[in-house]
Amino acid sequence: MTSSVILFLAALLDYLIGDPWGWPHPVQVMGWVISPLTKFFLKVCHNSLAQRIAGIILAITLIIGSGCLGWLIIQTAKWLHPLWGNVLETIILASCFALKSLRSAAQEVLKPLTAGDLDSARYILSNYVGRDSQHLSEPEILRAVLETVTENATDGVMAPLFYAIVGACVPGVGLIPLALAYKASSTLDSMVGYRQAPYTYIGWFSARLEDYLTWLPCRLTVITLALLSGKPLYVWRICCRDAVKDPSPNSGWSECAYAAILGVQMGGTNWYGGVPQQKPLLGDVIHPITPTVIHNALLLTRYSFLLWLCVAIAIPLIANTLN
């Protein structure tokens, strides 16, 4: 079974099933490793230098370990039987994509919100965002959902696909190792990549590394979105104007591309632990953020994903035809 077929089946599996509740997930396993290791390093490392070194060890161990373990599992399964290896590779790769998870999370918040149940919408939203959600108004809930959907479009959907494709192009690597390694980096960033204590020093390397690993797929995603919108120069101009103001080298670009295409504005004041934090404004207020806008953002992500998928599948077919 070729990499192209596995890519297609993995994407189809994510679209139809996503991440079944109760099933073990690679990110969950990574979290089981990260949490105790982080607690151990924080316990034995009492100064900033020691915690920085521990953070490097933590990141390298998990990222390289995830990629190598994924490769070993697939090769072992293929040694037992090629079909088992292909099936397992498809399932693991599907778990690296979060397209359906993003859609489900958004719908889970929007359902009570459109029914007028703000309290339920706030409570559900708190499961997906780090900001304080207990007093958010309806427009603020909608903005939080859109920002979550558009920020995670890169690191949750497009970047894993990018690294799977890169891995497939490297002889002897395959689809899984680099995709899992990237998911490990993303998981580390979400768990320890904070400037606040106690993760200030132990998480600095994970946060910086994730920024670097996401930089290229993020820009390629922005370019893809801009081309799909039919107004690439306008989208790029808005991103160059607003995205550069965001302290994150990636999330601001991802969110701003969607804001420009959809004609909405993201950013503003968010509250974290009762402390206000001002985020740069991205895009222009042409339209209000509505559930329809959020659904359109999800559609844009799906179209971008499908475009990359089609290109990845078509290139080997064209190459084989020419040969």
CSV table of all heavy atoms in Angstrom, one decimal, residues 5 7 10 24 47 57 65 82 92 104 126 144 155 182 186 193 210 215 217 231 243 251 256-257 260 263 266 280 321:
chain,number,residue,atom,x,y,z
A,5,VAL,N,-2.1,6.3,-0.7
A,5,VAL,CA,-3.3,5.6,-0.3
A,5,VAL,C,-3.5,5.7,1.2
A,5,VAL,O,-4.6,6.0,1.7
A,5,VAL,CB,-3.3,4.1,-0.7
A,5,VAL,CG1,-4.5,3.4,-0.1
A,5,VAL,CG2,-3.3,4.0,-2.2
A,7,LEU,N,-2.3,8.1,3.2
A,7,LEU,CA,-2.7,9.5,3.4
A,7,LEU,C,-4.2,9.7,3.2
A,7,LEU,O,-4.8,10.3,4.0
A,7,LEU,CB,-1.9,10.4,2.5
A,7,LEU,CG,-0.6,11.1,3.0
A,7,LEU,CD1,0.1,11.8,1.9
A,7,LEU,CD2,-0.9,12.0,4.2
A,10,ALA,N,-6.2,7.9,5.9
A,10,ALA,CA,-6.1,8.6,7.2
A,10,ALA,C,-6.9,9.8,7.3
A,10,ALA,O,-7.6,10.1,8.3
A,10,ALA,CB,-4.6,8.9,7.5
A,24,PRO,N,-7.3,5.2,23.3
A,24,PRO,CA,-5.9,5.8,23.6
A,24,PRO,C,-5.5,6.7,22.4
A,24,PRO,O,-5.8,6.3,21.2
A,24,PRO,CB,-5.0,4.6,23.7
A,24,PRO,CG,-5.7,3.5,23.0
A,24,PRO,CD,-7.2,3.7,23.2
A,47,ASN,N,17.4,26.1,40.1
A,47,ASN,CA,17.8,27.4,39.5
A,47,ASN,C,17.5,27.4,38.0
A,47,ASN,O,17.2,26.4,37.4
A,47,ASN,CB,19.3,27.6,39.7
A,47,ASN,CG,20.2,26.6,39.1
A,47,ASN,OD1,20.3,26.5,37.9
A,47,ASN,ND2,20.8,25.7,39.9
A,57,ILE,N,16.5,18.7,27.7
A,57,ILE,CA,16.4,17.2,27.7
A,57,ILE,C,15.0,16.7,27.6
A,57,ILE,O,14.8,15.7,26.9
A,57,ILE,CB,17.0,16.8,29.1
A,57,ILE,CG1,18.5,17.1,29.2
A,57,ILE,CG2,16.9,15.2,29.3
A,57,ILE,CD1,19.2,16.9,30.5
A,65,GLY,N,12.1,10.7,20.8
A,65,GLY,CA,11.5,9.4,21.2
A,65,GLY,C,10.2,9.1,20.6
A,65,GLY,O,9.9,7.9,20.2
A,82,PRO,N,2.5,-7.1,6.4
A,82,PRO,CA,2.4,-5.8,5.8
A,82,PRO,C,1.0,-5.1,5.9
A,82,PRO,O,1.0,-3.9,6.1
A,82,PRO,CB,2.7,-6.1,4.3
A,82,PRO,CG,3.5,-7.4,4.3
A,82,PRO,CD,3.0,-8.2,5.5
A,92,ILE,N,-2.7,5.6,13.1
A,92,ILE,CA,-1.9,6.6,13.9
A,92,ILE,C,-1.8,7.9,13.1
A,92,ILE,O,-1.9,9.0,13.8
A,92,ILE,CB,-0.4,6.0,14.0
A,92,ILE,CG1,-0.5,4.8,14.9
A,92,ILE,CG2,0.5,7.1,14.6
A,92,ILE,CD1,0.9,4.1,15.1
A,104,SER,N,-15.8,19.5,15.9
A,104,SER,CA,-16.7,19.1,17.0
A,104,SER,C,-16.7,20.0,18.2
A,104,SER,O,-17.7,20.3,18.8
A,104,SER,CB,-16.3,17.7,17.4
A,104,SER,OG,-16.4,16.7,16.3
A,126,SER,N,-14.7,26.7,28.3
A,126,SER,CA,-13.5,26.6,29.3
A,126,SER,C,-12.7,25.4,29.1
A,126,SER,O,-11.6,25.3,29.5
A,126,SER,CB,-14.1,26.7,30.7
A,126,SER,OG,-14.8,25.6,31.1
A,144,ALA,N,-13.8,33.9,20.8
A,144,ALA,CA,-12.9,32.9,21.4
A,144,ALA,C,-13.0,31.6,20.6
A,144,ALA,O,-11.9,31.0,20.3
A,144,ALA,CB,-13.4,32.6,22.8
A,155,ASP,N,-1.4,24.3,13.7
A,155,ASP,CA,-0.6,23.3,14.4
A,155,ASP,C,-1.4,22.0,14.7
A,155,ASP,O,-0.8,21.0,14.9
A,155,ASP,CB,-0.1,23.9,15.8
A,155,ASP,CG,-1.2,24.5,16.6
A,155,ASP,OD1,-2.4,24.2,16.3
A,155,ASP,OD2,-0.9,25.2,17.6
A,182,TYR,N,6.3,16.1,15.5
A,182,TYR,CA,5.7,17.4,15.5
A,182,TYR,C,4.6,17.5,16.6
A,182,TYR,O,4.5,18.4,17.3
A,182,TYR,CB,5.2,17.8,14.2
A,182,TYR,CG,4.5,19.2,14.3
A,182,TYR,CD1,5.2,20.3,14.3
A,182,TYR,CD2,3.1,19.3,14.4
A,182,TYR,CE1,4.6,21.6,14.5
A,182,TYR,CE2,2.5,20.5,14.6
A,182,TYR,CZ,3.3,21.7,14.6
A,182,TYR,OH,2.7,22.9,14.8
A,186,SER,N,4.2,20.0,19.7
A,186,SER,CA,3.0,20.8,19.9
A,186,SER,C,2.5,20.5,21.3
A,186,SER,O,2.0,21.5,22.0
A,186,SER,CB,2.0,20.5,18.8
A,186,SER,OG,0.8,21.3,19.0
A,193,GLY,N,5.0,25.2,27.7
A,193,GLY,CA,5.5,26.3,27.0
A,193,GLY,C,4.9,27.6,27.4
A,193,GLY,O,4.4,28.4,26.6
A,210,GLU,N,8.8,24.7,19.1
A,210,GLU,CA,7.5,24.6,18.4
A,210,GLU,C,7.3,25.8,17.4
A,210,GLU,O,6.8,25.6,16.3
A,210,GLU,CB,6.4,24.5,19.4
A,210,GLU,CG,5.1,24.0,18.9
A,210,GLU,CD,4.2,25.0,18.3
A,210,GLU,OE1,4.5,26.2,18.6
A,210,GLU,OE2,3.2,24.6,17.6
A,215,TRP,N,6.8,27.4,11.8
A,215,TRP,CA,6.9,28.6,11.0
A,215,TRP,C,6.6,28.4,9.5
A,215,TRP,O,5.8,29.1,8.9
A,215,TRP,CB,8.4,29.2,11.2
A,215,TRP,CG,8.5,30.5,10.6
A,215,TRP,CD1,8.4,31.7,11.3
A,215,TRP,CD2,8.8,30.9,9.2
A,215,TRP,NE1,8.6,32.8,10.4
A,215,TRP,CE2,8.9,32.3,9.2
A,215,TRP,CE3,9.1,30.1,8.1
A,215,TRP,CZ2,9.2,33.0,8.0
A,215,TRP,CZ3,9.4,30.8,6.9
A,215,TRP,CH2,9.4,32.2,6.9
A,217,PRO,N,5.2,25.6,7.8
A,217,PRO,CA,3.8,25.2,7.5
A,217,PRO,C,2.8,26.3,7.8
A,217,PRO,O,1.8,26.3,7.0
A,217,PRO,CB,3.5,23.9,8.4
A,217,PRO,CG,4.6,23.9,9.4
A,217,PRO,CD,5.8,24.6,8.8
A,231,LYS,N,-8.3,36.5,-3.3
A,231,LYS,CA,-7.7,37.8,-3.1
A,231,LYS,C,-6.4,37.7,-2.3
A,231,LYS,O,-6.3,38.3,-1.2
A,231,LYS,CB,-8.7,38.7,-2.4
A,231,LYS,CG,-9.4,38.0,-1.2
A,231,LYS,CD,-10.5,38.9,-0.5
A,231,LYS,CE,-11.1,38.1,0.7
A,231,LYS,NZ,-12.2,38.9,1.3
A,243,ALA,N,-0.5,40.9,11.5
A,243,ALA,CA,0.1,39.7,12.1
A,243,ALA,C,1.4,39.9,12.8
A,243,ALA,O,1.7,39.2,13.8
A,243,ALA,CB,0.2,38.6,11.1
A,251,SER,N,0.7,32.1,15.4
A,251,SER,CA,-0.7,32.1,15.6
A,251,SER,C,-1.3,33.4,15.1
A,251,SER,O,-2.4,33.4,14.5
A,251,SER,CB,-1.1,32.0,17.1
A,251,SER,OG,-0.5,33.1,17.9
A,256,CYS,N,-4.9,35.9,11.4
A,256,CYS,CA,-5.0,37.1,10.6
A,256,CYS,C,-5.5,36.8,9.2
A,256,CYS,O,-6.3,37.5,8.6
A,256,CYS,CB,-3.7,37.9,10.6
A,256,CYS,SG,-4.0,39.6,9.9
A,257,ALA,N,-5.0,35.7,8.7
A,257,ALA,CA,-5.3,35.2,7.3
A,257,ALA,C,-6.8,35.0,7.3
A,257,ALA,O,-7.5,35.4,6.3
A,257,ALA,CB,-4.6,34.0,6.9
A,260,ALA,N,-8.8,38.3,7.6
A,260,ALA,CA,-8.8,39.0,6.3
A,260,ALA,C,-9.8,38.4,5.3
A,260,ALA,O,-10.6,39.2,4.6
A,260,ALA,CB,-7.4,39.1,5.7
A,263,GLY,N,-13.5,38.8,6.7
A,263,GLY,CA,-13.9,40.2,6.9
A,263,GLY,C,-14.3,40.5,8.3
A,263,GLY,O,-15.3,41.3,8.6
A,266,MET,N,-10.3,39.9,14.9
A,266,MET,CA,-10.0,39.1,16.1
A,266,MET,C,-9.0,39.9,16.9
A,266,MET,O,-8.4,40.8,16.5
A,266,MET,CB,-9.5,37.7,15.7
A,266,MET,CG,-10.5,36.8,15.1
A,266,MET,SD,-10.0,35.2,14.8
A,266,MET,CE,-9.5,35.3,13.0
A,280,PRO,N,-3.2,42.0,20.1
A,280,PRO,CA,-3.3,42.9,18.9
A,280,PRO,C,-4.6,42.6,18.1
A,280,PRO,O,-5.0,41.4,18.0
A,280,PRO,CB,-2.0,42.6,18.1
A,280,PRO,CG,-1.6,41.2,18.6
A,280,PRO,CD,-2.0,41.1,20.0
A,321,THR,N,3.9,8.2,-13.8
A,321,THR,CA,3.5,8.2,-15.2
A,321,THR,C,4.6,8.7,-16.1
A,321,THR,O,4.7,8.1,-17.2
A,321,THR,CB,2.2,9.2,-15.3
A,321,THR,OG1,1.2,8.7,-14.4
A,321,THR,CG2,1.7,9.2,-16.7
